[in-house]
Amino acid sequence: MGVSRGLKLSEEYAGYVKRKYQFILLSSALLFAMAVYAISVGSIHLSVWQVLSVLFEGGKGTQHIVIWNIRLPRLLAAVIAGAGLSVAGSVMQCLLKNPLGSPYTFGVSQGAAFGAAFAIVVLGAGSIHSSSSDAVIVNSPLTVTGCAFLGSVISTVVILLLTRFARVTPQAMILAGVAMGSLFTAATMLVEYFATDIEVASIVFWTFGDVGRATWRDVCIMTIIMVAFSLYAMLNRWNYNALDAGEDSARSLGVDVERIRIYGMLFASLVTAVVVAFLGIIGFVGLVGPHIMRRMVGSDHRFLIPASIVGGSLLLLVSDTVARRVIAPVVLPVGIVTSFMGAPLFLYILTRRWKGI
Amino acid sequence: MILYVEGIRFGYNGEVTLKDIEFELKRGRVCAILGENGAGKTTLLKCIDGVLKPRVGTVYVEKKNLAEMSKNEIAKYIGYVPQRYSEGMLTVFDTILLGRKPYIRWDVSRRDIGIVEDTIQKMGLENISLKRIDEISGGELQKVIIARALVQQPKVLLLDEPTNNLDIRNQIEVMRIIKEIVAERDMSAVVALHDINLAMRYADDFLILKNGKILSCGGFDTITPENIKRAYGIEAEIVSYRDVPLVVPLDS
């Protein structure tokens, strides 16, 4: 990939940067197409034109209700949660220099799930109606999200302390994540043990991870947090690039390494907590999304962060569409699909290292 | 005077690594820091750059106290080339562009790109500019990291054993580049080196460390058989070959 003769170095570089942005733009177009498809398929099939006309021209009747009350919140929940988890994953992978890092593999999601379950059952911040998947209704999003955040922060702090003081290897860090995940799963089981049969069944369903239960209010809260986090990550993209070059290099380039690491991890935990509080645990999106995009656009966070936003959205949207269609009319929770897809990839990354991934 | 290091004292976990280090460096000079492994060379460079915070002491660049500056500001005054470079996976161009980080607000400017372009040409890296840094040779990587420090447009360049793991041709080339740049840009460089002969050939000033203290400091007259014996514990003779002083270790 040398510089062609006659072309100025800066022009060659501008072309290189342009190609990266073109890829992100193309992926965004693919995401839009996938979104239209996802809205149109289901028990009531709608054509692309019907979807577009209901979306942009309004209208009444069944189609309007199906799209605006059922499919659109579901679609947006998948897009926002996928983007949030994926950016959280790419930031965590950089901050802890760990290719296996993600909210799920660090036990952050499980911590958040425990916090949310605790808030719903013990603090009564949610109501439980029956044992179906949408049986848990979050009445107090602030309490549930707050408790989920506290749970996720415990895992984050443990991982940060291990990095700071024990200087553990990336693989050992994942083992610590497994330990934290198990601890919080056990804690969630403890909450369930003292709950009624219906409560137990609903919490189990709830932890599966399902974008179908999101209301417009949930979508709005997730969007605000996700957009804020994405902007924060973009603002720090040069700091993240500097961190990839090593801590000493980053410090000499003016990066406050400790501050960037702590703030980034806490913000990523908050995004995870909000997603888990409303949708349950959706594993591996935060791992797979950034990895696929790293292959496509490289490790430069100027491109990796926006690409992860699009990639994570696309990944969760495709997974959810598969979950809805694979054994239709039964709709599977998307968390099951992402885990089936993510676990083999996790093993693949484990056998390789950061390089070449 | 471009750099003044005043009474630096630093320690890890209660152990004192650097004791009362005090020296100054004039503009346009290359200063070699010599000393055995563990003498405190790397620690001293990190303390000057503010990567490590000294317990006591102050560093002044152009009479400005670095302790009163933000991290970003310090990066405009001091460029640091670490001994080991981590696994970054950026292209050569992007890695060098990273050196403009202290100046970037939201995105890179045309000026940033222009500075990087000029430096790439100066260092002869045009043909690998869009290669990833894990695809280039050790010598090329060292030049890339020096280039990254240079685009910071610092007043003082700190280099930690920049010739490690390089073949003799690359060792000479890297030292020659450092010497040329220091003269051209009217800046100064502090270079930690293992090879005394390389230091003798390219440095103007010498600072010999022993157990975290300055053993000796000054011009060529600092490099004496006595000081080499005290610093490294070996007998050596200094001979002149084509008017170039050479340190020849003796079997004892």
Side-chain angles (χ1 to χ4, degrees):
Chain A
M1 265 214 294
V3 175
S4 333
R5 277 172 198 283
L7 202 57
K8 263 183 80 182
L9 196 59
S10 53
E11 287 166 4
E12 183 86 359
Y13 181 69
Y16 162 83
V17 170
K18 198 173 152 194
R19 284 195 294 280
K20 303 275 179 190
Y21 284 123
Q22 278 171 343
F23 173 80
I24 295 169
L25 217 61
L26 207 70
S27 309
S28 307
L30 191 65
L31 176 63
F32 182 77
M34 185 63 212
V36 174
Y37 172 76
I39 290 191
S40 66
V41 294
S43 49
I44 299 174
H45 187 81
L46 302 167
S47 73
V48 170
W49 301 117
Q50 282 171 318
V51 171
L52 292 176
S53 84
V54 170
L55 280 181
F56 296 110
E57 290 169 14
K60 288 199 163 62
T62 324
Q63 289 178 2
H64 187 268
I65 293 170
V66 166
I67 289 181
W68 282 95
N69 294 5
I70 302 168
R71 292 192 191 164
L72 201 55
R74 181 184 192 110
L75 168 103
L76 289 175
V79 167
I80 299 296
L85 291 173
S86 184
V87 178
S90 64
V91 168
M92 284 179 167
Q93 285 165 14
C94 166
L95 292 177
L96 299 182
K97 292 187 88 63
N98 194 330
L100 299 166
S102 75
Y104 187 65
T105 47
F106 282 150
V108 176
S109 297
Q110 294 86 332
F114 164 71
F118 184 83
I120 290 166
V121 175
V122 181
L123 303 180
S127 45
I128 296 162
H129 297 279
S130 65
S131 57
S132 67
S133 65
D134 57 352
V136 178
I137 294 173
V138 174
N139 294 329
S140 167
L142 197 68
T143 312
V144 177
T145 311
C147 287
F149 181 54
L150 283 179
S152 67
V153 161
I154 294 173
S155 290
T156 306
V157 167
V158 169
I159 298 287
L160 279 174
L161 289 176
L162 281 174
T163 318
R164 179 79 178 78
F165 296 107
R167 300 207 175 268
V168 294
T169 62
Q171 284 83 352
M173 214 183 282
I174 296 303
L175 290 180
V178 170
M180 292 314 291
S182 307
L183 178 73
F184 281 117
T185 309
T188 310
M189 282 160 74
L190 189 69
V191 171
E192 288 167 1
Y193 188 75
F194 292 104
T196 62
D197 291 354
I198 291 178
E199 284 173 338
V200 171
S202 6
I203 290 174
V204 169
F205 269 114
W206 176 74
T207 48
F208 278 166
D210 184 6
V211 292
R213 68 176 75 126
T215 62
W216 276 105
R217 181 201 61 190
D218 302 345
V219 169
C220 286
I221 296 173
M222 284 193 294
T223 306
I224 292 167
I225 302 287
M226 198 287 284
V227 170
F229 179 56
S230 300
L231 282 175
Y232 172 81
M234 280 304 279
L235 200 66
N236 281 293
R237 62 205 191 284
W238 289 100
N239 291 329
Y240 298 154
N241 282 348
L243 259 177
D244 274 351
E247 283 190 26
D248 285 348
S249 286
R251 286 199 179 93
S252 73
L253 290 167
V255 179
D256 191 337
V257 174
E258 273 71 31
R259 208 184 70 183
I260 294 286
R261 184 171 283 151
I262 291 169
Y263 285 6
M265 287 298 290
L266 288 181
F267 214 155
S269 304
L270 177 65
V271 172
T272 310
V274 172
V275 171
V276 170
F278 294 125
L279 309 178
I281 296 178
I282 301 170
F284 293 111
V285 174
L287 180 77
V288 180
H291 270 289
I292 294 175
M293 286 304 156
R294 188 170 277 121
R295 286 217 144 192
M296 297 298 176
V297 297
S299 296
D300 189 334
H301 288 83
R302 281 182 296 165
F303 315 119
L304 183 61
I305 291 168
S308 292
I309 292 175
V310 181
S313 297
L314 195 57
L315 196 66
L316 198 51
L317 187 57
V318 170
S319 302
D320 186 49
T321 311
V322 170
R324 285 167 59 205
R325 304 303 300 155
V326 67
I327 48 168
V330 176
V331 176
L332 288 174
V334 71
I336 294 176
V337 177
T338 58
S339 293
F340 267 118
M341 197 175 56
L345 193 104
F346 180 79
L347 292 174
Y348 169 74
I349 299 165
L350 194 65
T351 55
R352 300 179 62 133
R353 280 175 187 262
W354 185 261
K355 286 194 172 186
I357 297 286
Chain B
M1 182 177 64
I2 197 163
L3 173 73
Y4 177 44
V5 175
E6 187 188 48
I8 279 190
R9 188 176 266 263
F10 182 83
Y12 290 107
N13 307 325
E15 257 181 58
V16 181
T17 319
L18 290 178
K19 285 166 232 162
D20 308 320
I21 304 287
E22 189 149 337
F23 70 95
E24 59 177 61
L25 187 60
K26 291 197 178 77
R27 213 173 268 280
R29 314 272 287 184
V30 175
C31 173
I33 302 184
L34 302 171
E36 61 187 357
N37 290 332
K41 301 190 290 293
T42 299
T43 310
L44 175 56
L45 290 183
K46 286 185 180 177
C47 281
I48 296 174
D49 191 26
V51 169
L52 294 175
K53 286 264 168 286
R55 278 191 216 159
V56 194
T58 320
V59 178
Y60 297 91
V61 177
E62 290 189 330
K63 296 186 179 160
K64 290 190 183 72
N65 184 349
L66 294 192
E68 291 167 2
M69 287 185 191
S70 69
K71 288 182 162 54
N72 237 10
E73 279 302 302
I74 295 174
K76 293 177 185 173
Y77 280 85
I78 297 186
Y80 175 56
V81 178
Q83 196 178 134
R84 265 178 301 187
Y85 192 72
S86 191
E87 318 84 32
M89 297 265 286
L90 299 178
T91 62
V92 166
F93 198 108
D94 288 323
T95 302
I96 300 173
L97 189 58
L98 205 51
R100 297 297 296 166
K101 202 208 82 64
Y103 301 88
I104 296 170
R105 287 188 181 276
W106 173 253
D107 209 354
V108 284
S109 64
R110 277 172 180 229
R111 186 175 133 76
D112 295 322
I113 298 282
I115 290 170
V116 171
E117 192 176 10
D118 290 346
T119 311
I120 284 179
Q121 278 158 357
K122 160 90 192 152
M123 305 284 273
L125 297 168
E126 298 96 322
N127 289 327
I128 56 162
S129 67
L130 291 183
K131 274 194 177 174
R132 276 199 338 225
I133 58 161
D134 57 335
E135 296 169 344
I136 61 177
S137 73
E140 288 168 336
L141 180 62
Q142 194 59 273
K143 281 192 238 171
V144 169
I145 306 307
I146 294 173
R148 190 191 69 190
L150 283 178
V151 301
Q152 287 175 245
Q153 297 184 316
K155 313 289 178 202
V156 177
L157 195 58
L158 307 176
L159 302 106
D160 196 354
E161 291 172 24
T163 55
N164 256 13
N165 303 320
L166 297 188
D167 61 40
I168 191 150
R169 185 176 62 83
N170 275 308
Q171 286 184 17
I172 290 171
E173 197 175 343
V174 162
M175 290 307 294
R176 185 184 52 76
I177 288 172
I178 294 167
K179 183 93 178 157
E180 268 176 28
I181 287 164
V182 163
E184 260 172 42
R185 301 196 178 189
D186 204 22
M187 55 193 288
S188 294
V190 182
V191 193
L193 280 175
H194 273 310
D195 188 332
I196 308 177
N197 286 322
L198 212 55
M200 297 268 273
R201 189 160 165 188
Y202 291 98
D204 310 293
D205 300 306
F206 303 88
L207 189 109
I208 306 176
L209 290 180
K210 174 81 178 174
N211 298 332
K213 279 190 193 163
I214 294 182
L215 186 82
S216 182
C217 178
F220 281 97
D221 52 354
T222 313
I223 310 295
T224 60
E226 295 73 37
N227 278 342
I228 290 171
K229 168 111 176 135
R230 283 161 70 201
Y232 296 96
I234 57 156
E235 301 288 346
E237 199 176 318
I238 297 176
V239 296
S240 177
Y241 178 73
R242 295 186 179 177
D243 292 335
V244 179
L246 277 180
V247 175
V248 182
L250 302 173
D251 284 335
S252 54

